[in-house]
């Protein structure tokens, strides 16, 4: 007649699952806050399908927007040609399982066309049975200002070294010059005395003759 007669229920204790889910949420939040504090850009490469995830911070760092899902070639297109081959070799070694991680500094072009220096670290976090990489994660730090400061310090050191060299050369030149000047002064004084003595003798001789 449609009246409620009874029910059968299965009750499961999911306390541990809820705790695990909450701990995972807190862990992800801590990771997010840590990444925001370090201002690092994070990338995650699924090697078999060649899919690359870029964190929002990575895109903000360069002011670029890469289509999703991104391919590794999409990311490499922003790198400077002079360092690209080195990075491709590193990625190849990681993908083939010849290396477990690595780091390299390279330039990347931002949205305004400026080249920014990035310190890029990568690590294999999952491998296949043959040792090849399934997943590679990495983090990038913008070190442009640090490198510019380092270049300025190198220039300052070179200028200081050049100044010391110039001072040393001047000192080495001044020593013989001082010797020559002293001897010329002595010669001038001697000649003056000789000329004076000769003039006096001539005057005296004329006086005696008179």
């Amino acid at each position: 007649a449609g009246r409620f007669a009874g029910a059968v229920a299965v009750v499961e204790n999911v306390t541990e699952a809820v705790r695990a889910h909450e701990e995972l949420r807190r862990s992800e939040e801590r990771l997010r806050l840590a990444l925001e504090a370090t201002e690092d850009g994070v990338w995650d490469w699924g090697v078999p399908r060649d899919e690359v995830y870029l964190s929002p911070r990575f895109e903000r760092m360069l002011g670029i927007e890469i289509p999703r899902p991104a391919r590794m070639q999409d990311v490499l297109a922003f790198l400077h040609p002079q360092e690209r081959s080195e990075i491709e070799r590193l990625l190849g070694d990681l993908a083939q399982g010849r290396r477990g991680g690595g780091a390299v500094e390279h330039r990347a072009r931002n949205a305004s066309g400026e080249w920014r220096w990035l310190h890029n670290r990568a690590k294999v976090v999952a491998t296949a049975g043959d040792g090849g990489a399934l997943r590679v994660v990495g983090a990038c730090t913008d070190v442009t200002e640090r490198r510019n400061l380092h270049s300025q310090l190198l220039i300052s050191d070179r200028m200081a070294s050049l100044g010391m060299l110039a001072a040393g050369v001047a000192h080495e030149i001044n020593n013989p010059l001082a010797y020559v000047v002293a001897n010329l002064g002595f010669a001038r004084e001697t000649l003056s005395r000789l000329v004076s003595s000769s003039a006096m003798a001539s005057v005296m001789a004329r006086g005696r003759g008179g």
Side-chain angles (χ1 to χ4, degrees), residues 10-22:
V10 177
V11 179
E12 180 183 1
N13 187 349
V14 295
T15 303
E16 294 302 321
V18 172
R19 288 176 179 172
H21 178 75
E22 182 62 22

Side-chain angles (χ1 to χ4, degrees), residues 124-151:
V124 176
V125 296
T127 57
D130 60 357
L134 294 176
R135 187 180 178 193
V136 180
V137 297
C140 291
T141 305
D142 191 330
V143 295
T144 306
E145 301 305 325
R146 189 198 71 187
R147 289 184 68 96
N148 289 341
L149 179 60
H150 181 67
S151 298

Side-chain angles (χ1 to χ4, degrees), residues 42-203:
V42 176
W43 54 273
D44 188 342
W45 182 28
V47 180
R49 300 181 64 178
D50 189 25
E51 292 183 350
V52 182
Y53 163 79
L54 300 176
S55 70
R57 169 58 189 164
F58 188 97
E59 294 184 341
R60 289 196 303 271
M61 186 186 301
L62 297 179
I64 60 176
E65 185 175 348
I66 297 179
R68 300 176 184 274
R71 300 290 182 260
M72 185 54 72
Q73 289 300 320
D74 298 329
V75 181
L76 294 177
F78 290 90
L79 305 187
H80 197 284
Q82 292 183 3
E83 293 101 29
R84 180 168 175 172
S85 59
E86 179 183 1
I87 298 169
E88 289 176 337
R89 284 194 300 270
L90 172 61
L91 293 174
D93 289 343
L94 295 173
Q96 297 299 321
R98 291 189 292 268
R99 297 177 63 176
V104 63
E105 287 195 0
H106 60 85
R107 284 166 288 182
R109 186 179 66 252
N110 63 14
S112 63
E114 178 188 3
W115 292 104
R116 306 292 296 181
W117 279 98
L118 304 180
H119 182 67
N120 203 337
R121 291 92 66 200
K123 182 177 180 59
V124 176
V125 296
T127 57
D130 60 357
L134 294 176
R135 187 180 178 193
V136 180
V137 297
C140 291
T141 305
D142 191 330
V143 295
T144 306
E145 301 305 325
R146 189 198 71 187
R147 289 184 68 96
N148 289 341
L149 179 60
H150 181 67
S151 298
Q152 293 174 5
L153 290 175
L154 286 178
I155 293 174
S156 298
D157 288 343
R158 289 172 184 169
M159 294 300 293
S161 299
L162 183 61
M164 293 178 62
L165 177 62
V169 171
H171 178 72
E172 294 300 324
I173 293 176
N174 283 336
N175 282 341
L177 283 179
Y179 175 78
V180 171
V181 171
N183 280 277
L184 288 175
F186 175 76
R188 184 177 60 184
E189 292 177 3
T190 302
L191 287 174
S192 296
R193 287 197 299 271
L194 290 175
V195 170
S196 298
S197 299
S198 176
M200 182 63 69
S202 177
V203 170

